Amino acid sequence: MATKAIAPPKTGAVSKGYNFASSWDQNAPLSEQQQAAIAMLSHAVAERPFPANLAQEHVPGQDNALSIKTNNNEVSFGESEAIEAVLVNTNQFYKWFTDLESALKSETEEKYRHYVNTLTERIQTCDDILKQVDETLELFNELQLQHQAVAAKTKTLHDACDRLVYIWKNSEIAETYKMGTLPPLCDPALNFEMAMSNSKYLVMEKQRLIEFADALRRKLGYFDELENISNNFYSPNMSVSNGNFLPLLKRLDECISYVENNPQYAESSVYLLKFRQLQSRALGMIRSHVLSVLKSASSQVQAAIHGSGGSRTSVSEGVEASVIYVRFKAAASELKPVLEEIESRSSRKEYVQMLAECHRLYCEQRLSLVKGIVQQRISEFAKKEALPSLTRSGCAYLMQVCQLEHQLFDHFFPSSSEDVSSLAPLIDPLSSYLYDTLRPKLIHETNVDFLCELVDILKVEVLGKQLNRRGESLAGLHPTFQRILADVHERLTFRARTHIHDEIANYVLSDEDLNYPAKLEQSTDMKQESASVDENQDIFKTWYPPVEKTISCLSKLYRCLEPSVFTGLAQEAVESCSDSIQKASKLVTKRSTTMDGQLFLIKHLLILREQIAPFDIEFSVTHKELDFSHLLEQVRRILRGQASLFDLSKSTSLARTLSPRVLESQIDAKKELEKSLKATCEEFIMAATKQVVDPMLSFVTKVTAVKVSLSSGTPNQKVDSVMAKPLKDQAFATPDKVAELVQKVYAAIQQELPKMIAKMKLYLQNPSTRTILFKPVKTNIVEAHMQVQSLLKTEYSAEEQKVINMISIHDLQAQLDSLL
């Protein structure tokens, strides 16, 4: 290999490449073995020839070019001459190097390409062999089928030849006997045996032909019946009441089933169409017959009603009268066999439709008889009775009619009586009339007591007892009764909400309602003067009216409404009642005293809490509302032109931004009631404590303030102040002043505290409630005395304590306990 080259110009790319290569060698040094491998690889690559298209003659004068000359000594690329390449620039070098790599790759992969081509040829050969094998197998299968066909034909021919041989032998023997000569080598015994075998064969052949003829006759019999059935059905004497009608109908159904199951017979579709026409004619005759008999029975019943000399009013007194049910059953008794036959074939679509049509005709005729009587009877109930009584009587009467109609329907359609929808065309109009009568009265009913009574009648008496006891016969009335009950629930809910709004939330107070404590005192005096038996009524008289209305309303609604509906109403009622009590408490405070207002509020909040405790519900509801407050900024941006409402590229984010937020808030009326009661009790306790021991509390506060002011000064000031002026020398803490405030507290205990206890007894009749409420007051009084006594022991002498004359803690507790 000969190479002529000059150094390339030192450009920026070359220097960068050189720097990178040198840093690479320093950071990743090669071992001696690796360097030897690279040298061998470089030697092997250096001996590769240049591609033919790069071999060029060296151009003199190009001193700065890179000249490469390669002699083809070891490897041949198809040319024997040497390859010279003059590389002037980098692009020519890259092109030469690419061609060199392509040539090397072609040389390396040549044997693999040859191997792949060989494998492809072998695979194609195998595919051709498999295809030929498949074709050969198909030919073998076809040959096997042909062989089986030839074998079957050969067997048939062999059997026919055997029969001809037997016949020929018999005819030959017969001819021989007629001529008086026997054939040669013919033995009489042998001839007899042959005759017997031939006769057996003929008998078997005859039996086979007879069986074939019978089978053919049976199959053709279904087709031959077409003419017979057609002649009978089109005969003028044929009717449904004829004894041959039902057998012919049964035979017609058998023929239709046979032809449907054997469509391969010639002209089967034509026969099937004709059989269908005959079936339609027969079913039409049945429908006309059923309608005729039902109309005749209805006419007889109506004639009996008019001929009895009574009007419909007398008949309507007992809908179950024999003139409507027993006579109709007798008049329509001839339909029973036909209807039973139709029900027995209800598995076929045509008879299902026919049975449904019979049900409809029956219900229409029964409705024409019963509708007027039922309407008149319900109208009489509506004129004479109030809404609860009307509901009870109407439902009971309608259930009686429905049960009797179900019994009569079961007589004619025993297999269909379990299906509730079969009697729907009869029961629905009758029940709709009761519904249409009750609904206007329900809409105009404003009495919550009546509506609650209606719910009780429908749920307990009608749906609970009557329907469950009578079972399936009244199942058709269940949707109507449920519909009436739903309307009553809706009306009751509306009236209850109106009652809560008008009588509780917006209750108009009177002077009598705010006359506390005089109202309680009058009630106490009346109890002492007269021994009244109705104590509950007296208790209710002392209650604030909205409280009594709330408890009464909730107790009525609890068992009448669904739990979810009652929960919402109860929460609203308790919240409204609590607000009304607090408003009334403020008015009582203005009219009487603060203590009266507090005790009034405590009394009625306790009553409300105790009375709603038995209700097994949660007095909490979740309110959902839409919040548009965050849209203000977005609207401002749109008005300023910073955002567009019609910008489709941001429609998703804009729609999400402009959509309102759903805010959920849970309100628990029972917890709010507890909070109000607790806050009111604390206010009462603090007010009562302050009323009794306010001088002591003020004294302790002043002493504390003095000590704090002394402790906050400099040490010298503290020593001078304490030594110069003790506590008992303070103007507010002299023994006389302390004795005076102790006497004031003692006077309050003797005078004010009994009055407070008396008011508590007046408002709170339960002793345990008074004890619980008074216990913190007692504790506060005792603690105030203990603080003052502690100051007296530390700041005053024994003589000064005697002058002050403060009561002992034990005596104080005994005195407080005696007040209750």
Side-chain angles (χ1 to χ4, degrees):
M1 181 181 68
T3 304
K4 297 179 180 179
I6 62 175
K10 294 183 178 180
T11 62
V14 173
S15 62
K16 288 182 180 179
Y18 178 78
N19 294 333
F20 177 76
S22 61
S23 62
W24 180 276
D25 292 337
Q26 292 175 3
N27 294 331
L30 299 179
S31 62
E32 294 181 356
Q33 184 178 1
Q34 292 173 342
Q35 291 177 356
I38 291 175
M40 293 176 62
L41 182 61
S42 300
H43 181 70
V45 171
E47 295 177 355
R48 297 291 180 179
F50 287 101
N53 55 355
L54 294 180
Q56 297 179 0
E57 294 294 334
H58 180 69
V59 180
Q62 294 180 346
D63 298 332
N64 59 343
L66 177 64
S67 176
I68 299 174
K69 183 178 180 181
T70 304
N71 292 326
N72 190 4
N73 298 325
E74 298 178 0
V75 182
S76 176
F77 290 91
E79 296 180 358
S80 59
E81 67 273 13
I83 299 176
E84 286 189 2
V86 178
L87 305 179
V88 179
N89 52 30
T90 307
N91 292 333
Q92 290 183 359
F93 173 76
Y94 286 150
K95 184 176 179 182
W96 168 79
F97 188 74
T98 303
D99 294 339
L100 185 63
E101 282 187 339
S102 300
L104 180 62
K105 187 181 296 183
S106 299
E107 179 185 358
T108 305
E109 295 178 354
E110 183 64 28
K111 58 180 180 180
Y112 297 110
R113 288 198 182 95
H114 180 69
Y115 184 66
V116 169
N117 293 334
T118 305
L119 288 178
T120 305
E121 292 176 358
R122 298 293 185 270
I123 291 173
Q124 184 64 34
T125 304
C126 293
D127 291 339
D128 295 339
I129 294 173
L130 289 175
K131 184 176 180 181
Q132 292 178 3
V133 170
D134 292 337
E135 292 176 355
T136 305
L137 290 175
E138 290 179 0
L139 293 175
F140 276 125
N141 291 333
E142 185 179 356
L143 184 61
Q144 185 177 5
L145 293 176
Q146 293 176 359
H147 175 267
Q148 292 176 356
V150 172
K153 292 179 180 179
T154 304
K155 183 179 179 182
T156 304
L157 180 62
H158 182 71
D159 294 338
C161 292
D162 289 341
R163 287 196 297 272
L164 291 176
V165 168
Y166 287 134
I167 294 172
W168 176 78
K169 287 183 179 180
N170 291 335
S171 62
E172 183 180 358
I173 293 172
E175 290 295 331
T176 304
Y177 277 110
K178 287 180 182 180
M179 295 175 63
T181 61
L182 290 173
L185 301 177
C186 185
D187 188 6
L190 180 60
N191 293 333
F192 178 75
E193 184 179 354
M194 292 176 62
M196 289 299 294
S197 63
N198 290 334
S199 62
K200 290 180 180 179
Y201 176 79
L202 292 175
V203 170
M204 292 174 60
E205 186 69 16
K206 179 182 178 182
Q207 186 64 29
R208 188 181 65 81
L209 293 175
I210 291 173
E211 292 176 356
F212 176 75
D214 292 339
L216 185 61
R217 191 179 298 109
R218 284 195 302 272
K219 294 180 180 180
L220 292 177
Y222 292 102
F223 296 91
D224 295 339
E225 287 289 340
L226 176 63
E227 184 177 359
N228 180 30
I229 296 174
S230 178
N231 293 333
N232 282 283
F233 276 159
Y234 284 99
S235 174
N237 298 326
M238 177 57 66
S239 63
V240 178
S241 58
N242 194 325
N244 296 327
F245 181 82
L246 293 180
L248 285 173
L249 183 62
K250 183 178 181 181
R251 182 59 179 169
L252 176 61
D253 292 338
E254 293 175 354
C255 293
I256 291 176
S257 299
Y258 183 80
V259 175
E260 283 181 343
N261 295 330
N262 296 278
Q264 71 275 12
Y265 293 156
E267 297 184 357
S268 60
S269 59
V270 177
Y271 277 89
L272 180 60
L273 179 61
K274 293 181 179 180
F275 282 136
R276 291 289 188 189
Q277 292 176 352
L278 291 176
Q279 187 185 49
S280 300
R281 178 178 177 82
L283 295 179
M285 294 172 64
I286 292 176
R287 184 188 181 283
S288 301
H289 177 71
V290 171
L291 181 59
S292 175
V293 174
L294 290 175
K295 285 185 176 180
S296 176
S298 300
S299 301
Q300 293 181 23
V301 172
Q302 291 178 354
I305 292 175
H306 293 296
S308 61
S311 61
R312 284 195 172 188
T313 305
S314 61
V315 177
S316 64
E317 294 176 357
V319 183
E320 70 279 3
S322 61
V323 70
I324 297 178
Y325 292 97
V326 178
R327 181 164 295 190
F328 185 87
K329 184 187 296 184
S333 59
E334 60 179 297
L335 287 179
K336 191 171 179 60
V338 179
L339 297 177
E340 289 179 353
E341 190 70 22
I342 294 176
E343 284 189 330
S344 64
R345 304 179 190 182
S346 58
S347 59
R348 301 178 65 89
K349 181 178 70 174
E350 300 84 3
Y351 288 95
V352 171
Q353 297 175 355
M354 187 65 214
L355 184 60
E357 183 67 15
C358 292
H359 290 165
R360 187 184 65 81
L361 296 175
Y362 172 84
C363 292
E364 287 179 356
Q365 295 302 317
R366 289 300 305 169
L367 185 62
S368 64
L369 288 176
V370 180
K371 182 178 181 180
I373 299 174
V374 172
Q375 289 180 352
Q376 185 174 0
R377 188 64 180 274
I378 294 177
S379 299
E380 292 176 359
F381 290 153
K383 293 177 182 178
K384 297 178 182 179
E385 301 177 0
L387 183 57
S389 179
L390 170 62
T391 304
R392 182 182 287 108
S393 302
C395 292
Y397 176 72
L398 196 60
M399 287 189 289
Q400 184 182 8
V401 173
C402 183
Q403 188 174 13
L404 292 172
E405 289 296 335
H406 187 271
Q407 292 175 359
L408 185 63
F409 184 82
D410 183 66
H411 173 74
F412 289 102
F413 305 96
S415 300
S416 305
S417 59
E418 296 179 359
D419 188 6
V420 180
S421 61
S422 301
L423 265 177
L426 173 60
I427 301 302
D428 289 348
L430 298 180
S431 58
S432 297
Y433 187 76
L434 176 63
Y435 177 80
D436 295 338
T437 303
L438 291 177
R439 180 166 175 76
K441 296 181 178 294
L442 290 175
I443 293 175
H444 293 88
E445 183 60 55
T446 59
N447 193 332
V448 176
D449 294 336
F450 278 5
L451 294 173
C452 292
E453 186 178 355
L454 286 178
V455 173
D456 186 67
I457 291 172
L458 290 171
K459 289 180 66 175
V460 179
E461 297 181 15
V462 178
L463 294 173
K465 295 180 181 179
Q466 299 293 336
L467 290 183
N468 292 334
R469 186 176 62 188
R470 301 186 187 182
E472 297 178 354
S473 61
L474 302 181
L477 295 176
H478 193 270
T480 302
F481 291 159
Q482 287 287 358
R483 188 180 176 189
I484 297 174
L485 180 60
D487 290 345
V488 176
H489 278 161
E490 183 179 358
R491 182 62 180 172
L492 179 59
T493 303
F494 173 75
R495 288 306 308 166
R497 197 176 296 278
T498 305
H499 178 78
I500 293 171
H501 181 268
D502 296 341
E503 300 296 331
I504 300 175
N506 297 322
Y507 178 73
V508 180
L509 293 169
S510 63
D511 294 337
E512 180 66 21
D513 297 333
L514 300 175
N515 191 18
Y516 287 89
K519 190 175 183 179
L520 299 175
E521 293 172 353
Q522 293 174 2
S523 176
T524 304
D525 296 338
M526 291 176 62
K527 286 183 180 180
Q528 293 176 356
E529 293 176 359
S530 62
S532 176
V533 179
D534 192 2
E535 297 180 357
N536 291 329
Q537 189 67 25
D538 295 336
I539 293 175
F540 292 152
K541 288 181 180 179
T542 62
W543 287 9
Y544 180 55
V547 176
E548 189 271 332
K549 294 177 183 293
T550 301
I551 302 304
S552 176
C553 179
L554 293 182
S555 61
K556 294 173 184 176
L557 299 177
Y558 182 60
R559 297 189 181 277
C560 295
L561 297 177
E562 296 295 329
S564 57
V565 179
F566 178 77
T567 299
L569 290 175
Q571 186 273 336
E572 183 179 355
V574 171
E575 184 179 5
S576 301
C577 183
S578 178
D579 294 341
S580 180
I581 294 172
Q582 292 178 8
K583 292 178 183 178
S585 172
K586 295 178 182 178
L587 295 176
V588 170
T589 301
K590 292 180 180 180
R591 184 167 180 168
S592 298
T593 61
T594 303
M595 185 173 295
D596 287 317
Q598 292 173 347
L599 289 174
F600 172 85
L601 184 57
I602 292 172
K603 171 185 174 66
H604 290 96
L605 290 180
L606 282 173
I607 292 173
L608 186 59
R609 187 186 68 175
E610 292 173 359
Q611 294 297 325
I612 67 174
F615 299 125
D616 187 16
I617 62 168
E618 295 290 337
F619 288 85
S620 62
V621 294
T622 301
H623 293 287
K624 294 183 179 181
E625 58 183 5
L626 297 178
D627 180 24
F628 295 91
S629 60
H630 64 288
L631 301 182
L632 183 60
E633 182 62 27
Q634 190 66 25
V635 173
R636 289 176 179 172
R637 292 184 61 206
I638 294 175
L639 294 177
R640 291 196 211 104
Q642 297 176 357
S644 176
L645 188 62
F646 304 100
D647 188 2
L648 299 180
S649 62
K650 301 180 180 179
S651 59
T652 303
S653 60
L654 186 60
R656 188 184 301 110
T657 305
L658 294 178
S659 61
R661 290 179 296 193
V662 179
L663 300 181
E664 294 186 359
S665 59
Q666 188 173 15
I667 301 175
D668 193 332
K670 198 170 184 179
K671 290 182 179 180
E672 294 296 328
L673 176 63
E674 294 285 350
K675 288 181 181 179
S676 300
L677 181 59
K678 183 179 179 181
T680 307
C681 291
E682 290 176 353
E683 291 177 1
F684 173 78
I685 291 168
M686 294 305 298
T689 303
K690 188 175 182 180
Q691 184 178 0
V692 176
V693 294
D694 185 53
M696 286 187 177
L697 297 177
S698 300
F699 174 73
V700 172
T701 304
K702 290 179 181 179
V703 172
T704 304
V706 169
K707 290 184 177 181
V708 170
S709 63
L710 291 175
S711 62
S712 61
T714 61
N716 295 328
Q717 292 176 350
K718 282 196 288 184
V719 172
D720 295 340
S721 299
V722 172
M723 295 300 295
K725 199 172 183 179
L727 178 62
K728 61 184 178 180
D729 294 335
Q730 298 286 339
F732 69 91
T734 60
D736 294 335
K737 292 288 186 180
V738 175
E740 183 181 354
L741 70 87
V742 168
Q743 291 300 321
K744 287 182 180 180
V745 172
Y746 186 73
I749 294 174
Q750 295 292 329
Q751 298 174 6
E752 300 297 332
L753 196 57
K755 294 180 181 179
M756 183 184 66
I757 297 297
K759 281 193 175 183
M760 289 178 62
K761 290 181 179 180
L762 191 62
Y763 282 93
L764 306 174
Q765 283 78 22
N766 192 347
S768 62
T769 304
R770 295 196 299 268
T771 303
I772 294 172
L773 187 59
F774 182 69
K775 185 177 180 180
V777 178
K778 173 187 170 183
T779 303
N780 292 339
I781 294 173
V782 172
E783 286 182 356
H785 280 75
M786 291 175 66
Q787 289 179 1
V788 174
Q789 283 189 358
S790 176
L791 289 173
L792 292 178
K793 290 179 180 179
T794 57
E795 302 292 340
Y796 296 87
S797 63
E799 291 78 6
E800 291 172 341
Q801 293 181 17
K802 289 181 181 180
V803 173
I804 296 173
N805 192 21
M806 189 170 184
I807 189 172
S808 65
I809 300 300
H810 182 271
D811 295 339
L812 178 62
Q813 290 179 345
Q815 186 176 359
L816 294 177
D817 291 338
S818 64
L819 294 176
L820 290 176

